[in-house]
């Protein structure tokens, strides 16, 4: 693997991982209910998208102005995997070893939020009960829930990575 691609992926993986740790700590300090704020979640996704765009632009520049789809996707995937692992490791440590009480508060707030939304959409009570039971079975901030979150985050990152690598690729001219 090209050293430029590897270094770029590691650099931006650490940047996105540290950004994740920063915003987790910020939400933790300010108000645990921020963990269920949809608009904050969308904003954070947009920040990660911006980091990915900047990453691929920098990679293309460092590769001499040209970048294949494979080079772009490979670097993005390395960064996404590393960032997700840093973020998840910190979350596991914070919510499963340091402060399990806040984990439980967030979990209860998520259930309440979900029930209220399902009721707004006139979902039958039996379906709401199934959703709540499912949420109670594997809490999102439990160790297993966070490890499962790695898979979901990685799948989302793969989709973003494929799209961004396709947009920012620039092949060398044939002549």
């Amino acid at each position: 693997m090209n050293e430029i691609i590897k270094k770029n992926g590691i650099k931006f993986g650490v940047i996105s991982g540290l950004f994740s740790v920063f915003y987790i700590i910020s939400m933790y300090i300010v108000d645990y209910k921020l963990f269920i704020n949809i608009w904050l979640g969308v904003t954070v996704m947009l920040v990660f998208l911006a980091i990915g765009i900047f990453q691929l632009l920098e990679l293309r520049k460092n590769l001499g102005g040209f970048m294949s789809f494979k080079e772009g996707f490979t670097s993005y995937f390395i960064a996404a995997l590393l960032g997700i692992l840093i973020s998840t490791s910190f979350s596991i440590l914070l919510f499963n070893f340091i402060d399990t009480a806040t984990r439980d508060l967030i979990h209860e707030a998520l259930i309440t939020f979900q029930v209220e939304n399902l009721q707004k959409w006139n979902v039958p009570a039996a379906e709401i009960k199934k959703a709540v039971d499912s949420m109670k079975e594997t809490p999102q901030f439990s160790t297993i829930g966070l490890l499962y979150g790695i898979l979901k985050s990685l799948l989302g990152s793969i989709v973003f990575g494929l799209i961004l690598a396709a947009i920012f690729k620039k092949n060398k001219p044939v002549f």
Side-chain angles (χ1 to χ4, degrees):
M1 179 186 301
N2 183 327
E3 277 301 307
I4 294 171
I5 295 168
K6 192 186 314 182
K7 283 182 181 179
N8 178 275
I10 292 170
K11 174 184 171 182
F12 282 93
V14 170
I15 288 169
S16 63
L18 291 177
F19 171 74
S20 291
V21 169
F22 171 76
Y23 88 78
I24 290 168
I25 289 171
S26 298
M27 291 187 302
Y28 176 79
I29 290 170
V30 173
D31 184 1
Y32 73 91
K33 290 183 180 177
L34 291 173
F35 284 95
I36 62 170
N37 184 309
I38 291 174
W39 294 111
L40 184 60
V42 169
T43 302
V44 168
M45 269 188 21
L46 292 174
V47 169
F48 283 121
L49 184 61
I51 290 170
I53 290 169
F54 186 74
Q55 174 194 0
L56 293 182
L57 290 172
E58 183 178 298
L59 176 63
R60 188 169 69 188
K61 181 180 133 203
N62 291 342
L63 289 173
F66 301 100
M67 176 185 76
S68 71
F69 175 81
K70 180 182 177 184
E71 291 168 332
F73 179 74
T74 300
S75 182
Y76 187 91
F77 182 80
I78 291 168
L81 181 61
L82 185 56
I84 291 166
L85 291 175
I86 290 169
S87 176
T88 303
S89 298
F90 178 76
S91 293
I92 288 172
L93 181 67
L94 177 62
F95 294 117
N96 292 282
F97 294 100
I98 295 173
D99 189 0
T100 57
T102 298
R103 174 199 62 200
D104 297 339
L105 288 172
I106 295 168
H107 180 66
E108 288 304 316
L110 278 168
I111 290 173
T112 301
F113 178 77
Q114 182 71 2
V115 168
E116 287 171 356
N117 281 327
L118 292 173
Q119 287 172 341
K120 284 180 194 174
W121 299 326
N122 296 319
V123 173
E127 294 298 316
I128 293 174
K129 184 178 178 343
K130 280 185 198 174
V132 169
D133 290 344
S134 174
M135 290 177 77
K136 286 182 178 179
E137 192 174 302
T138 308
Q140 184 175 345
F141 287 93
S142 68
T143 301
I144 292 186
L146 288 166
L147 291 174
Y148 178 67
I150 289 175
L151 296 175
K152 293 191 301 188
S153 295
L154 202 52
L155 285 174
S157 294
I158 287 170
V159 171
F160 277 128
L162 291 169
I163 293 168
L164 291 176
I167 291 171
F168 292 104
K169 75 179 172 102
K170 185 174 182 185
N171 294 325
K172 294 179 182 174
V174 178
F175 299 102

